[in-house]
Amino acid sequence: MTKRILVTGADGQLGSFIVQAFQDYDVKASTRKRLDITNTEAIHQTIKDFSPSVVINCAAYNDVDGAENEPSIALEVNALALRNIARAVESCGATLVHYSTDFVFDGVATSAYNEHDRVSPKSTYAASKLLGEWFALDAPRAFVLRVESLFGCHDNWTGRHGTLDKIAGNLRKGHEVQVFTDRIVSPTYLVDVAAATRHLVENSVEPGLYHCVNSGYGTWYSVAEEVARVLGITPRLKSVTMDTVKTQAVRPKFCALSNQKLAKAGFSMPSWQDALGRWLS
Ligand SMILES: NC(=O)c1ccc[n+]([C@@H]2O[C@H](COP(=O)([O-])OP(=O)(O)OC[C@H]3O[C@@H](n4cnc5c(N)ncnc54)[C@H](OP(=O)(O)O)[C@@H]3O)[C@@H](O)[C@H]2O)c1
């Protein structure tokens, strides 16, 4: 039987990769214009009419600094909307897939975070995403995948799609690039997140919370060095530390996530170096 899949936030970075990864399914790709996830009635009506077997929510309020000025919007989109979606999927028995973030941690760990590690959000954005996790996991069958530092868009590294896109774009232009030497990340390739999502919904995997990042971790400086190596460029990198850059929202320093639980569920995420190689080639 063909599965019907509703994708919300379908024209975002991850949304467009998810739609592509499930193109052999009956997919309803809903952009914000067509389906605002904060509109409770519209969510319930759409889910009732389409009767999906899986709802994949890629919609989010992702302006980490902006959330400090407009916390109610961040909470509405990242948290309350998930309560509505979780209630709506309950009525049709659909599986819910939702995405969260490494920012739920305080970033003071010294080894990669696991799913059972204590959360301690330090910003409004982070708190709104954590609440969203809790609401999503209230659905009878829900997967929440924590991702971070997403990359993989293919529009010539315009710099519109996050830190790695900016780094790759500027290195290619021969510009000097400022990179943190003390912020540690597990970058996450959109193609691999989409493949992991497909694995989870297609197999009888225990629902719940999963870390879904490329394996391993590094400082932004080492990630930029690897980008330059793959591109065959001698990089002009300027080291900066987090305490020298003022941002409105606090960001965790150490954001490495362990994806062991996902591996045990049958999906091994390739290393971030492997993922960078596939993206840049
Ligand atoms: N990007 C990262 O590095 C990163 C890191 C950690 C976690 N995540 C999480 O990963 C998931 C995917 O992120 P992404 O980078 O793909 O996000 P994105 O590119 O910013 O896309 C988010 C999408 O959600 C839409 N949206 C916003 N408010 C909406 C609403 N009320 N109703 C319906 N749609 C709405 C946006 O539409 P508009 O364009 O019209 O606003 C946009 O299309 C999110 O849960 C995000 O929090 C991302």
Side-chain angles (χ1 to χ4, degrees), residues 11-14 32 35-38 58-60 62 77 99-101 125 129 147-150:
D11 59 353
Q13 281 195 97
L14 180 58
R32 186 216 285 253
L35 180 60
D36 184 329
I37 63 164
T38 65
C58 299
N62 279 330
V77 178
Y99 302 90
S100 187
T101 170
Y125 164 78
K129 292 295 292 181
V147 300
E148 69 175 287
S149 308
L150 291 175

Side-chain angles (χ1 to χ4, degrees), residues 40 63 75 84 108 161 166 198 205 217 244 248-249 260 272:
T40 308
D63 183 348
L75 283 165
N84 298 331
V108 299
H161 301 294
K166 270 188 205 121
R198 208 173 149 141
V205 175
Y217 53 86
T244 61
Q248 210 159 347
Q260 285 305 301
W272 62 264

Side-chain angles (χ1 to χ4, degrees), residues 226-243:
E226 180 64 10
V227 170
R229 193 191 65 75
V230 176
L231 291 175
I233 288 170
T234 306
R236 293 205 291 134
L237 299 180
K238 183 173 177 206
S239 309
V240 281
T241 52
M242 285 177 74
D243 56 357

Side-chain angles (χ1 to χ4, degrees), residues 144-198:
V144 172
L145 309 189
R146 287 188 185 139
V147 300
E148 69 175 287
S149 308
L150 291 175
F151 69 93
C153 286
H154 285 289
D155 50 2
N156 291 323
W157 308 309
T158 52
R160 290 186 294 120
H161 301 294
T163 308
L164 251 165
D165 184 48
K166 270 188 205 121
I167 290 174
N170 283 322
L171 286 177
R172 278 178 83 234
K173 288 179 201 144
H175 295 172
E176 181 183 83
V177 179
Q178 284 200 7
V179 269
F180 288 121
T181 49
D182 58 350
R183 179 141 205 274
I184 288 161
V185 291
S186 299
T188 314
Y189 191 27
L190 289 156
V191 169
D192 295 337
V193 180
T197 302
R198 208 173 149 141

